[in-house]
Amino acid sequence: MGNHAFFITGTDTGIGKTTVGCALSAALSERGLKVGVAKPVETGCAPDGDGNLIPADAERLRYFSGCAEPLDVICPCRCREPLAPSIALRREGRTLALAALGATVRGVIARHDVTLVEGAGGLLVPVIGSVTFADLAREWRLPVVVVVGNRLGALNHAQLTVGWAKK
């Protein structure tokens, strides 16, 4: 197995994407694979004592995968407010260079046997402008893993997400 990568998305925010990513990366690592992880954009990051934004999901993914990449590579874009990245970035007066983001993710993929790339929210969440996580997964040519909650409406949400993932 060499340089395989997957994009993890969910039918909603808070649905368990990071938990699934941690479990998968730990299981793959235990099987002797060099596992990379990426959370290219994370919002809702709390500041540490020095004012640096800490991406809690990216830290968990790094811990359970054993990935040695620096946190700035695993999660190059962090925002304080728990909003869609495009909105959080706009409110912070920032932009995001998608080409650089893609190069960073492709670098992680190239250095690992298998890489799990986690989105934020769902596939149609806007990252910057009208570009969504579905667009990034498609551009990066990553098969999509969909995490679905166990609650009323889950079948509808799952079918809608899978329908978009196939486009």
Side-chain angles (χ1 to χ4, degrees), residues 4 7 9-10 53 57 60 74 89 97 117 128 134 146 152 162:
H4 293 284
F7 188 87
T9 192
L53 294 178
D57 290 350
R60 282 194 297 276
I74 293 171
L89 286 164
V117 180
I128 190 84
V146 179
L152 188 61
V162 169

Side-chain angles (χ1 to χ4, degrees), residues 69-93:
E69 297 283 346
L71 200 53
D72 287 340
V73 171
I74 293 171
C75 186
C77 181
R78 306 167 195 177
C79 297
R80 186 179 198 133
E81 292 186 272
L83 303 168
S86 64
I87 296 168
L89 286 164
R90 186 177 65 232
R91 288 173 58 124
E92 292 178 12

Side-chain angles (χ1 to χ4, degrees), residues 11-165:
T11 55
D12 201 352
T13 189
I15 207 75
K17 293 181 300 295
T18 303
T19 299
V20 168
C22 290
L24 287 172
S25 63
L28 291 165
S29 183
E30 284 181 19
R31 285 166 176 73
L33 295 170
K34 185 176 180 186
V35 179
V37 292
K39 175 89 176 183
V41 181
E42 186 167 337
T43 64
C45 298
D48 65 10
D50 295 325
N52 300 310
L53 294 178
I54 305 302
D57 290 350
E59 282 190 326
R60 282 194 297 276
L61 288 166
R62 182 171 69 166
Y63 174 81
F64 283 98
S65 66
C67 182
E69 297 283 346
L71 200 53
D72 287 340
V73 171
I74 293 171
C75 186
C77 181
R78 306 167 195 177
C79 297
R80 186 179 198 133
E81 292 186 272
L83 303 168
S86 64
I87 296 168
L89 286 164
R90 186 177 65 232
R91 288 173 58 124
E92 292 178 12
R94 297 170 44 209
T95 189
L96 181 62
L98 292 177
L101 190 68
T104 300
V105 170
R106 283 189 288 280
V108 174
I109 292 169
R111 293 186 290 274
H112 296 85
D113 298 322
V114 63
T115 301
L116 303 176
V117 180
E118 182 185 319
L123 275 181
L124 297 183
V125 169
V127 178
I128 190 84
S130 64
V131 176
T132 66
F133 282 106
D135 296 323
L136 295 182
R138 188 177 311 108
E139 181 180 325
W140 299 338
R141 296 184 177 145
L142 301 179
V144 176
V145 175
V146 179
V147 179
V148 181
N150 183 15
R151 58 183 177 216
L152 188 61
L155 291 176
N156 181 61
H157 294 154
Q159 289 176 9
L160 289 168
T161 302
V162 169
W164 272 98

